[in-house]
Amino acid sequence: MWNPDSFMEMLYANSDPARKENSQLSRPGSKELLKERLRSSLTLGSFDDMRSPLEPVILERVEYEDYIRERVDIGTVTGLRMPVYILIPKKPAASGKLPGMLALHGHGYGSREVVGLAEDGTIQEKKGGHNSFALELMKQGHIVAAPEMIGLGDRRLIRDTKPGKERSSCVSLTGQLMMFGMSLAGLRVFEALRALDYLATRPEVNPGQIGCMGFSGGGLVAAYASALDERIRAAVLCAFTNTFKGSILSINHCIDNFIPGVLDYAELPDLIGLIAPRPLFIESGENDPIFPAASVREAVEIVQNVYLEENAASVLQYDIFPGVHEVSGRAAYPWLLSTWRGNKSAVQ
């Protein structure tokens, strides 16, 4: 009787006309409006005003038989620096340069989880949901940059690093940043783009072939970064694509997923559609408990319509694989290689 469920349904329904009004604009006008509003919701302007020089410092360099792993410390905004793992295949590229990829981790113990390391920095013996996807991208012939997301791993608040405490600082940072009119999601997107800035300076990287792959919370960052920065020429979104109504609003999620005011102008597939006409691959587990497959399919259909409208249907692919909340890559990795080769319809 006093539960607020119907009130929340009413709010969603009341905001629907505004979202539909935006979708009725011409595609170029709609895209620019959505991008501007997304930048505003993510408070990217606040972080841009605080932009600091990269000033990279190599913290470690470890050589393996087939690749080199570096950890580089870069500046992002005033008062913050961010460690980034760089994976470099030893096999030289025929052209002298290799495609670059941002590898954006989700919740867990941070960037070590995607580069094949355990939480203590030793070689990972058992893969989790991330499935060491940065390492797999390197094996496919990419120079990979895997930044440590703020609020996770080595970048938690000191109070959250004590034994028995939360494994993330997402809740604390979201609340504290909100008090300053800032967004944690926005800070993560901004810092991912600073990692992109650094990756583009690497002499081994072909700047015309830089992509982005993100899992779960990293999928959120990959989606919004790719939507807003066209230097990202191809994107792979793992275990994130859905509708707000089908996942974020209906299932308990970390607070870092919530963007102030976003439902006043867009649903999640509308924002993912901003990546068009650049190549996009979507993957999700059939039995993912927090990003339900039915809503994945609903979102994919909306994104497909956007790509059709932009005459780019052939560069959008998806795979709903037998699995849960995890990275598969069974079709995404070959799709990426075919994308860089220019044969964008090779993976069906």
Side-chain angles (χ1 to χ4, degrees), residues 43-241:
T43 64
L44 291 183
S46 297
F47 302 119
D48 201 37
D49 291 341
M50 300 171 66
R51 179 188 297 261
S52 63
L54 289 172
E55 297 177 341
V57 177
I58 296 178
L59 303 175
E60 67 176 38
R61 181 180 171 90
V62 181
E63 290 206 25
Y64 296 94
E65 183 177 348
D66 55 346
Y67 74 100
I68 297 166
R69 187 189 74 237
E70 294 181 352
R71 204 176 200 200
V72 181
D73 177 48
I74 65 170
T76 60
V77 301
T78 303
L80 286 177
R81 293 186 65 83
M82 175 173 69
V84 183
Y85 280 113
I86 305 292
L87 305 181
I88 309 162
K90 283 188 174 178
K91 184 177 179 181
S95 65
K97 292 181 181 290
L98 291 170
M101 287 292 293
L102 284 180
L104 303 175
H105 65 82
H107 290 85
Y109 57 84
S111 55
R112 290 183 181 88
E113 199 160 356
V114 301
V115 300
L117 297 177
E119 190 168 3
D120 62 2
T122 59
I123 297 299
Q124 192 179 57
E125 295 184 1
K126 183 178 180 181
K127 296 179 181 180
H130 287 81
N131 278 318
S132 300
F133 73 86
L135 199 58
E136 293 301 320
L137 288 168
M138 181 279 301
K139 291 176 182 177
Q140 297 284 327
H142 297 91
I143 308 289
V144 184
E148 189 92 334
M149 298 276 197
I150 189 164
L152 299 162
D154 292 337
R155 301 188 72 209
R156 290 171 290 168
L157 294 167
I158 292 173
R159 69 190 186 204
D160 293 328
T161 62
K162 297 174 182 177
K165 293 291 184 179
E166 290 288 333
R167 293 190 67 183
S168 86
S169 295
C170 297
V171 172
S172 296
L173 284 173
T174 297
Q176 291 183 45
L177 286 167
M178 185 170 61
M179 298 288 280
F180 295 100
M182 297 176 179
S183 154
L184 178 60
L187 179 53
R188 286 177 174 170
V189 169
F190 185 83
E191 289 198 316
L193 294 178
R194 295 300 280 147
L196 174 61
D197 292 339
Y198 174 70
L199 183 61
T201 71
R202 298 284 303 210
E204 312 96 333
V205 174
N206 179 345
Q209 290 188 327
I210 294 179
C212 186
M213 181 170 177
F215 165 67
S216 191
L220 177 152
V221 178
Y224 297 156
S226 300
L228 296 174
D229 196 321
E230 295 192 1
R231 291 178 299 169
I232 298 173
R233 303 299 178 89
V236 179
L237 307 182
C238 309
F240 173 68
T241 300

Side-chain angles (χ1 to χ4, degrees), residues 11 19 27 30 36 62 70 72 79 111 150 191 199 202 206-207 262 265 271 327 331 341:
L11 289 180
R19 293 192 296 272
R27 183 61 190 160
S30 174
E36 188 54 41
V62 181
E70 294 181 352
V72 181
S111 55
I150 189 164
E191 289 198 316
L199 183 61
R202 298 284 303 210
N206 179 345
V262 70
Y265 60 89
L271 301 177
V327 172
R341 289 195 301 264

